[in-house]
Amino acid sequence: MTVSNTTTKITYVGDGKNRTFGIPFPILSAADLRVVITDSEGVETSADGQFTVNMAQKQLTYPTVGSRVPTLSKDCKITILRQTPLTQDIDLQSGHALDAEELERGFDKLTYVLQELSEKMSRALTYKVSETNEHTAEEYLSKIAASLQAAAGAAQQAATAATQAKNAAQEVSSSVNEHNASQTAHNDLRNLIAKKQNILTAGPGVDITDDIISITGAGGGNGGTGITVDSTLDSESTNPVQNKVIKAALDGKQKTLIPGPNVSIAADGTINFTGGTESGSSTGLTGLVVYNERGYSKAARTGNFRTNIGTREYKFITLELCNADGTVWCTPLHSVVGYGNRSGNFATVYYAISASEFEGNTILADDTYGIKITLWY
């Protein structure tokens, strides 16, 4: 017969069920077949003795029931290949007739061997066509291995260079980010400085030197444009510095008592008479208490004080509004009668001063006034 089929092997992938595989190429004998199993890791193992061949149906069964080998799984492969023996089986006898079938069978066997050698050579390493055979196969393989090793070294160097390039790129990127951050901070600082400079811009009547603001203009009615500060407290002030607010706060402060002649004032505010003369029942004991009342108002006022009068029996007490000079009394001056409630050696004196007694009284220009106290016996 003719041999037109050049196939010498076939590979199937397992499915966990199938055990029968077709043989799509011609063979002279079942003994010429080899079976190789490839597992999921790519490891190849011979399956000799674990399969059977049906020459009539051209089918191979793997695994056999008796082999106790599991059915080929999905991640494994089976390869069936022909390996014709390299022998010559025809023995021609001199003087005998030639058998055409026997001769053709011998030619077929030679063809099968050539096909199998061709398939095997297709999987082998070969020299270039133009290369002379100056090396043995072992030397040639060593040369290839050296080339592979050099290629691996070059690949490693390339990988190292790539890593270094990547690191350098990251450093450049980091430097760019730091530069951008620095530039942003610089711009923010410039903006802050610009804003500060905008705030410290001198206007009319103002000079700014080294962040020190100096008022250079004149105030009041002289046509100046600077800020005017009043020299005295004035509740009617309309100047930018509203000292009337300060005056209002001072108006609310408690009056300060200052002792005058013949008087001492204890820490608790008790007024004690310390001197003076008395003659007869018509003479009184006199002392002076000075009130320091900053930002005073010429309004009616009432008050009381507690005084130590010792063991004397007083008939009545008079109070006279006077100036703050401890040696000079204002005369004539208004006189108001005080009333006291005695308890032991002490008496509580109540007094009332009308607003009219302050009107036109120039003695109050320094914000102080006195009350002359006379105890009559």
Side-chain angles (χ1 to χ4, degrees):
M1 67 175 184
T2 62
V3 180
S4 59
N5 186 351
T6 61
T7 302
T8 63
K9 70 176 182 179
I10 187 170
T11 299
Y12 295 99
V13 177
D15 60 4
K17 301 177 182 179
N18 188 36
R19 298 172 55 246
T20 303
F21 305 95
I23 305 171
F25 48 83
I27 56 176
L28 297 176
S29 169
D32 297 345
L33 288 179
R34 297 289 180 269
V35 175
V36 176
I37 304 300
T38 306
D39 63 17
S40 59
E41 301 296 329
V43 178
E44 294 183 347
T45 304
S46 175
D48 290 345
Q50 300 174 356
F51 65 90
T52 59
V53 178
N54 186 327
M55 293 292 290
Q57 298 181 357
K58 298 189 70 174
Q59 290 183 343
L60 181 144
T61 300
Y62 171 85
T64 60
V65 177
S67 65
R68 297 183 179 182
V69 176
T71 304
L72 196 66
S73 61
K74 295 180 180 180
D75 55 355
C76 294
K77 294 184 293 184
I78 180 172
T79 300
I80 304 172
L81 68 157
R82 185 183 66 205
Q83 288 187 353
T84 305
L86 301 178
T87 58
Q88 204 286 99
D89 300 328
I90 301 176
D91 184 15
L92 297 176
Q93 299 293 325
S94 178
H96 288 194
L98 294 176
D99 187 342
E101 290 292 334
E102 187 175 7
L103 287 176
E104 188 176 34
R105 181 180 176 85
F107 292 146
D108 290 344
K109 182 178 181 180
L110 289 175
T111 302
Y112 294 164
V113 169
L114 292 174
Q115 289 178 342
E116 293 159 9
L117 288 174
S118 176
E119 186 278 328
K120 194 171 185 179
M121 287 293 294
S122 68
R123 293 184 280 113
L125 295 173
T126 60
Y127 296 110
K128 293 180 180 179
V129 175
S130 60
E131 189 169 343
T132 59
N133 188 11
E134 297 178 353
H135 306 285
T136 64
E138 288 78 5
E139 292 173 343
Y140 194 67
L141 289 175
S142 298
K143 183 179 178 181
I144 294 174
S147 298
L148 291 175
Q149 187 174 4
Q156 181 62 41
Q157 291 177 354
T160 301
T163 301
Q164 292 174 346
K166 180 180 178 181
N167 294 338
Q170 290 176 344
E171 291 178 0
V172 171
S173 176
S174 177
S175 297
V176 170
N177 292 336
E178 290 178 359
H179 173 74
N180 291 338
S182 176
Q183 187 64 37
T184 300
H186 176 70
N187 292 336
D188 291 343
L189 180 59
R190 289 184 61 185
N191 291 335
L192 288 175
I193 293 175
K195 289 180 180 179
K196 182 177 181 182
Q197 289 174 342
N198 290 337
I199 294 173
L200 299 179
T201 300
V206 175
D207 176 70
I208 300 177
T209 303
D210 296 332
D211 290 345
I212 298 176
I213 301 175
S214 302
I215 301 173
T216 60
N222 296 327
T225 56
I227 298 175
T228 300
V229 179
D230 293 337
S231 60
T232 60
L233 295 177
D234 183 2
S235 62
E236 304 298 328
S237 173
T238 59
N239 288 326
V241 177
Q242 297 294 323
N243 58 33
K244 58 187 177 182
V245 177
I246 301 174
K247 179 180 182 302
L250 292 176
D251 285 345
K253 294 184 65 177
Q254 185 176 3
K255 293 184 289 291
T256 303
L257 299 180
I258 301 175
N262 304 326
V263 172
S264 66
I265 300 176
D268 62 358
T270 299
I271 300 173
N272 298 301
F273 284 84
T274 59
T277 60
E278 53 179 304
S279 59
S281 60
S282 62
T283 302
L285 183 62
T286 302
L288 175 66
V289 177
V290 177
Y291 285 79
N292 186 348
E293 188 176 0
R294 292 294 178 185
Y296 73 94
S297 59
K298 297 178 180 180
R301 63 200 65 201
T302 60
N304 64 81
F305 57 85
R306 189 166 181 261
T307 180
N308 184 353
I309 60 175
T311 59
R312 299 182 180 86
E313 293 291 340
Y314 66 92
K315 298 177 179 179
F316 58 92
I317 300 174
T318 59
L319 305 177
E320 296 176 280
L321 184 64
C322 62
N323 67 4
D325 191 333
T327 59
V328 180
W329 303 106
C330 290
T331 57
L333 197 63
H334 305 284
S335 176
V336 286
V337 177
Y339 300 88
N341 295 324
R342 182 166 183 163
S343 175
N345 294 336
F346 293 89
T348 301
V349 180
Y350 301 88
Y351 64 89
I353 304 175
S354 65
S356 61
E357 294 183 87
F358 287 95
E359 293 297 335
N361 221 316
T362 58
I363 62 171
L364 298 179
D366 60 354
D367 295 336
T368 59
Y369 62 93
I371 295 181
K372 178 183 177 182
I373 305 172
T374 304
L375 302 179
W376 297 94
Y377 299 94

